[in-house]
Amino acid sequence: MPAIEDGPSVPAARERARAIPEAAVARLAVYLRVLSAMSEQGVSSVSSEELSAAAGVNSAKLRKDLSYIGSYGTRGVGYEVGVLVDQIERTLGLTRKHSVAVVGIGNLGHALANYGGFPGRGFPVTALFDVDPDLIGIPVGGIPVHHIDDITAVCAEREISIGVIATPPPAAQAVCDRLVQGGVECILNFAPVVLQVPDTVEVRKVDLAVELQVLSFHVARRADQAQVDAMADAREDGDRTGIDGMVVR
Amino acid sequence: MPAIEDGPSVPAARERARAIPEAAVARLAVYLRVLSAMSEQGVSSVSSEELSAAAGVNSAKLRKDLSYIGSYGTRGVGYEVGVLVDQIERTLGLTRKHSVAVVGIGNLGHALANYGGFPGRGFPVTALFDVDPDLIGIPVGGIPVHHIDDITAVCAEREISIGVIATPPPAAQAVCDRLVQGGVECILNFAPVVLQVPDTVEVRKVDLAVELQVLSFHVARRADQAQVDAMADAREDGDRTGIDGMVVR
DNA sequence: CGGACTTTGTGCATGCGTTCACAAATGGCT
DNA sequence: AGCCATTTGTGAACGCATGCACAAAGTCCG
Ligand SMILES: NC(=O)c1ccc[n+]([C@@H]2O[C@H](COP(=O)([O-])OP(=O)(O)OC[C@H]3O[C@@H](n4cnc5c(N)ncnc54)[C@H](O)[C@@H]3O)[C@@H](O)[C@H]2O)c1
Ligand SMILES: NC(=O)c1ccc[n+]([C@@H]2O[C@H](COP(=O)([O-])OP(=O)(O)OC[C@H]3O[C@@H](n4cnc5c(N)ncnc54)[C@H](O)[C@@H]3O)[C@@H](O)[C@H]2O)c1
């Protein structure tokens, strides 16, 4: 067994950062919000039980998630809020500012541009784009709207790292391509289309229609289950009432 | 051992409907959108390869997802678009209309109320609520805003099945409680808080801050990886350039 | 100072979801 | 009619995520 070998078999210290499950990353962001709120209220210490309850997860999962970023707790006591905030921020890359550009200043784009929650969390919205001539130059949320043709130049100049697409679906892919060309590394897509990007670019989508349909599915499932239960009850009782016209089988 | 026993050990035929993985349900909604678009363009038949490419997934996954809802394809040929559309709609419970109420008609609430994509897909927005006296009675997207105090009555009366929360975070839990009291079965929550609900109610959340932070994480990870690669290269090359002041390469 | 109590961190088992790979089914072609 | 090319549907293997349960580590108190 060689002592100072450092091939791929030895996870070196600098490799510490990887291997955090995607699902855990999303939860870390939630923990961070809860912890920040606690910090503001003067809470300085928290146990995994308390924190997990506030974040809506089970405490074993929380501890495992935190273990991915290191051991910052004190056994028998809990975690120091400030320490966790710092470590999660570091892990999520929030020590650096990430400038955001919003493309498509319609209903949704306006809401995003006016939203105060982003700048406050290290994501300043620094550029807006649209094609509508009536919008160009008009300030929205304090920032003037640029023409979409300037997108590559402006993104490069202002070091935009995140592009938000809020255009109608047919325009989304073209907008995406131009954002990528402007050096944008990440895209948050609100248009209901599947974007094609080089694999150096990270895409996340927010699809409200899908969310509603998943909810709809659960309503239907619940209704079916209620029918099944009713039938089971009926059978137990000696099979009397059918479920009106609908036989689920 | 009784022969015709039907305890939990025998998954009966009527149990068919359940057991669709949550992740698959969300993808079915995506397939449905792609299929609808194809249908409108007059495409009547599609293979798993084509459909999966359009939906941005791998074809084995697509076929497995479709297999959860039944066998509607023809081997050697593919799927009939119309049939798939019908079957997915049935599975997702879209044969029934799901009335939507939006609570909190601020930046985001306005955008949602004005959005034409929901009614077109079987999710008519039929009620809006806010506390702001200046908004009450004003029509937004053609629907008058009601006072939040009427929420329970109006939800019950209009058979609202989905409630959308777009209020500031501190108000979200109270609004949620009142929606549940009004008989709402599902909630889509835009406020960055963890909602407490009885387990008869389904909640999905859309959390933009989390989305941005996950993207931020990937930027950071990529940057770290670039450094690691650079170091590895440097070592291989005989160790020349250090990491010093940010060598991006 | 020592022992009881609390809470973390994690090895392990379990379950869910993804991917592979191929037999079965079907249509078309000769 | 029979065979070939194609594409579905799914069993099985794999890998990732979740949850359990407990040893390790630390605090606090007497
Ligand atoms: N409004 C919502 O609540 C909502 C909900 C779910 C999804 N969406 C999706 O979000 C997107 C935007 O929705 P919206 O309601 O804000 O639409 P909208 O029509 O109000 O706004 C779209 C804006 O994009 C601009 N635009 C069009 N083509 C462009 C281009 N090539 N480059 C730059 N800008 C361009 C238009 O000028 C307009 O200002 C759509 O894809 C929609 O499906 C919106
Ligand atoms: N605007 C965005 O782009 C955006 C992005 C991410 C998250 N969010 C979240 O969505 C929510 C809404 O954001 P927004 O920008 O529209 O805020 P907003 O302040 O513009 O609107 C909030 C609305 O809710 C109403 N309201 C307040 N208390 C209420 C109550 N108890 N009952 C009913 N209505 C009440 C207010 O009168 C106001 O009209 C917030 O929780 C915010 O964090 C918004």
Side-chain angles (χ1 to χ4, degrees):
Chain A
M1 184 54 80
I4 324 185
E5 180 56 301
D6 92 6
S9 58
V10 179
R14 67 173 180 281
E15 218 186 306
R16 202 183 321 156
R18 59 263 13 146
I20 302 181
E22 182 84 10
V25 172
R27 286 191 298 267
L28 284 173
V30 175
Y31 306 153
L32 177 58
R33 181 165 50 224
V34 174
L35 287 163
S36 299
M38 286 177 169
S39 182
E40 272 167 31
Q41 283 166 24
V43 179
S44 65
S45 173
V46 69
S47 74
S48 64
E49 209 63 51
E50 293 163 341
L51 183 51
S52 65
V57 303
N58 126 355
S59 72
K61 193 188 288 186
L62 174 113
R63 287 198 300 275
K64 182 146 294 221
D65 287 344
L66 291 182
S67 80
Y68 292 125
I69 67 175
S71 293
Y72 300 105
T74 305
R75 297 177 187 217
V77 178
Y79 301 89
E80 236 182 284
V81 174
V83 172
L84 278 193
V85 167
D86 287 352
Q87 292 304 324
I88 295 178
E89 285 185 342
R90 189 181 56 79
T91 303
L92 296 182
L94 302 179
T95 47
R96 170 191 148 190
K97 283 247 181 296
H98 298 269
S99 297
V100 174
V102 178
V103 188
I105 312 301
N107 287 315
L108 191 56
H110 268 86
L112 294 169
N114 281 317
Y115 184 51
F118 296 156
R121 292 253 174 226
F123 295 94
V125 177
T126 55
L128 306 178
F129 300 95
D130 206 299
V131 274
D132 186 342
D134 294 348
L135 281 170
I136 311 297
I138 307 286
V140 177
I143 302 154
V145 177
H146 285 79
H147 192 273
I148 183 77
D149 288 343
D150 301 336
I151 196 168
T152 306
V154 173
C155 284
E157 175 201 323
R158 303 197 188 168
E159 298 185 324
I160 302 289
S161 52
I162 300 179
V164 176
I165 298 180
T167 65
Q173 183 63 58
V175 164
C176 173
D177 292 344
R178 299 174 90 166
L179 283 169
V180 170
Q181 207 186 329
V184 167
E185 303 165 285
C186 300
I187 289 175
L188 183 56
N189 178 32
F190 285 89
V193 292
V194 178
L195 294 179
Q196 301 295 331
V197 292
D199 60 5
T200 53
V201 175
E202 197 76 28
V203 176
R204 286 183 76 86
K205 68 165 199 246
V206 174
D207 193 326
L208 301 195
V210 168
E211 298 298 330
L212 291 180
Q213 290 176 6
V214 171
L215 287 174
S216 168
F217 168 80
H218 282 107
V219 175
R221 193 179 50 76
R222 239 181 257 276
D224 283 0
Q225 196 54 46
Q227 280 204 356
V228 171
D229 290 352
M231 286 179 73
D233 282 2
R235 192 178 301 124
E236 259 177 25
D237 295 354
D239 198 6
R240 190 136 219 80
T241 49
I243 298 291
D244 63 63
M246 274 272 164
V247 179
V248 177
R249 194 138 45 126
Chain B
M1 246 304 155
I4 323 182
E5 178 56 300
D6 93 6
S9 58
V10 177
R14 66 174 183 280
E15 221 184 307
R16 202 187 320 160
R18 102 308 63 254
I20 301 182
E22 181 85 8
V25 172
R27 286 190 299 266
L28 283 173
V30 174
Y31 306 153
L32 177 58
R33 181 164 53 225
V34 174
L35 286 163
S36 300
M38 286 175 169
S39 182
E40 272 167 31
Q41 283 166 23
V43 178
S44 65
S45 173
V46 68
S47 73
S48 64
E49 209 63 53
E50 293 164 339
L51 183 51
S52 66
V57 303
N58 119 1
S59 73
K61 192 187 286 187
L62 174 110
R63 288 199 300 278
K64 178 138 298 214
D65 287 346
L66 291 182
S67 80
Y68 292 125
I69 66 175
S71 293
Y72 301 103
T74 305
R75 294 174 188 222
V77 178
Y79 302 88
E80 236 182 282
V81 174
V83 172
L84 278 193
V85 167
D86 287 351
Q87 292 304 324
I88 295 177
E89 285 185 342
R90 188 181 56 78
T91 303
L92 296 182
L94 303 180
T95 46
R96 172 191 146 188
K97 284 245 181 298
H98 298 268
S99 296
V100 174
V102 179
V103 188
I105 312 302
N107 287 316
L108 190 55
H110 269 85
L112 294 169
N114 282 317
Y115 183 51
F118 296 157
R121 292 253 174 226
F123 294 94
V125 177
T126 54
L128 306 178
F129 300 95
D130 206 298
V131 273
D132 187 341
D134 294 347
L135 281 170
I136 310 298
I138 306 286
V140 177
I143 302 154
V145 177
H146 287 79
H147 192 273
I148 183 76
D149 288 342
D150 302 336
I151 196 168
T152 304
V154 174
C155 284
E157 175 202 322
R158 304 199 188 165
E159 296 186 324
I160 301 290
S161 53
I162 300 179
V164 177
I165 298 179
T167 64
Q173 182 63 58
V175 165
C176 173
D177 292 344
R178 300 174 90 166
L179 283 170
V180 170
Q181 208 186 330
V184 168
E185 302 166 285
C186 300
I187 290 175
L188 184 57
N189 178 31
F190 285 89
V193 291
V194 179
L195 294 179
Q196 301 295 330
V197 292
D199 59 6
T200 53
V201 175
E202 198 75 29
V203 176
R204 287 183 76 85
K205 68 166 201 248
V206 174
D207 194 325
L208 302 194
V210 168
E211 298 299 329
L212 291 180
Q213 290 175 5
V214 171
L215 287 174
S216 167
F217 169 79
H218 282 108
V219 174
R221 194 179 46 78
R222 241 180 256 277
D224 283 1
Q225 197 53 48
Q227 279 204 356
V228 170
D229 290 353
M231 284 178 72
D233 281 5
R235 192 177 301 124
E236 259 177 24
D237 295 355
D239 200 4
R240 190 137 219 81
T241 49
I243 291 298
D244 64 66
M246 282 274 164
V247 178
V248 178
R249 211 201 340 185

